[in-house]
């Protein structure tokens, strides 16, 4: 559950970024104290999400392995994190290398749909970082960054982020 002070889509994306940062330094996205620390820094503007993405880009350029299972088998494919049919803009930010097995298993789902609630902490950092950037851009474009419960289910959670998708 996001912290009680997470009230808008923007807050929620920062919260997810904070979990991403916690995962890279202490190896545990559920480390509450550390997540809170990074979240506050993002909210105050002391930390920029773009820093995380630069790190991702570096990682991405060096890595020739499946983003999901780390397989380095022959014939890796460019996989669309958010399926093309669900997104109006198709950019490089939406692509990672994936093995044929993972690509087929994921099929037409976005990462949160594929991993489900229980396994959401296992979504690879590179995938989550890119997903958050795309989602942030889409909400910005639609003017919904400062909205709350977009899917009207009574709570603000990651499932509200996907509302900008088709
Ligand atoms: Zn794979």
């Amino acid at each position: 559950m996001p912290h009680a002070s997470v009230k808008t889509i923007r807050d929620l994306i920062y919260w997810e970024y904070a979990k991403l940062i916690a995962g890279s330094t202490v190896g545990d996205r559920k480390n509450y104290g550390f997540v809170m620390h990074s979240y506050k820094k993002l909210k105050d503007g002391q930390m920029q999400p773009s820093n995380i993405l630069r790190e991702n880009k570096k990682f991405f350029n060096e890595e020739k392995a499946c983003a999901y299972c780390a397989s380095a088998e022959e014939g890796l494919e460019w996989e669309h994190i958010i399926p093309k049919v669900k997104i109006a803009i198709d950019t490089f930010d939406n692509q990672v290398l994936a093995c044929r097995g993972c690509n087929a298993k994921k099929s037409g789902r976005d990462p949160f749909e594929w991993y489900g609630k229980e396994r959401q902490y296992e979504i690879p950092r590179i995938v989550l970082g890119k997903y958050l950037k795309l989602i942030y851009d889409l909400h910005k474009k639609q003017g919904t960054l400062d909205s709350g419960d977009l899917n009207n289910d009574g709570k603000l959670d990651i499932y509200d982020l996907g509302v900008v998708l088709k």
Side-chain angles (χ1 to χ4, degrees):
M1 268 307 273
H3 187 262
S5 74
V6 175
K7 292 194 187 328
T8 64
I9 292 293
R10 187 195 307 272
D11 292 347
L12 185 59
I13 292 172
Y14 284 168
W15 181 259
E16 292 299 322
Y17 268 124
K19 286 200 288 190
L20 204 65
I21 298 164
S24 73
T25 51
V26 291
D28 183 3
R29 288 185 205 158
K30 296 178 208 170
N31 184 325
Y32 195 79
F34 198 87
V35 172
M36 201 60 215
H37 176 76
S38 300
Y39 171 66
K40 281 182 179 158
K41 278 185 144 181
L42 284 162
K43 270 195 77 123
D44 297 347
Q46 292 175 43
M47 191 188 272
Q48 303 296 328
S50 54
N51 295 342
I52 312 162
L53 291 159
R54 265 198 291 276
E55 179 206 330
N56 274 344
K57 195 159 179 260
K58 190 168 158 261
F59 170 79
F60 189 68
N61 288 337
E62 288 165 4
E63 202 73 13
K64 286 281 173 284
C66 173
Y68 297 97
C69 73
S71 160
E73 70 180 43
E74 289 289 307
L76 293 170
E77 300 165 339
W78 289 105
E79 193 271 325
H80 288 79
I81 296 168
I82 297 170
K84 274 187 279 185
V85 292
K86 291 189 176 189
I87 196 167
I89 48 163
D90 187 24
T91 70
F92 187 64
D93 284 326
N94 193 28
Q95 295 177 39
V96 285
L97 281 173
C99 70
R100 272 168 291 199
C102 287
N103 203 355
K105 266 184 270 173
K106 182 172 172 285
S107 186
R109 292 175 291 181
D110 74 41
F112 283 101
E113 289 171 324
W114 186 27
Y115 280 74
K117 254 189 180 114
E118 289 71 31
R119 291 179 58 229
Q120 58 165 292
Y121 288 102
E122 297 168 28
I123 296 174
R125 296 189 72 235
I126 178 89
V127 175
L128 189 56
K130 286 185 163 224
Y131 177 86
L132 291 174
K133 181 182 189 295
L134 282 162
I135 285 289
Y136 183 90
D137 289 344
L138 287 170
H139 281 285
K140 194 176 176 186
K141 211 170 160 192
Q142 278 199 7
T144 44
L145 276 174
D146 294 309
S147 305
D149 178 19
L150 282 175
N151 66 1
N152 295 311
D153 68 348
K155 55 186 186 297
L156 177 65
D157 58 23
I158 50 146
Y159 296 97
D160 292 296
L161 297 181
V163 169
V164 279
L165 305 175
K166 290 185 224 164

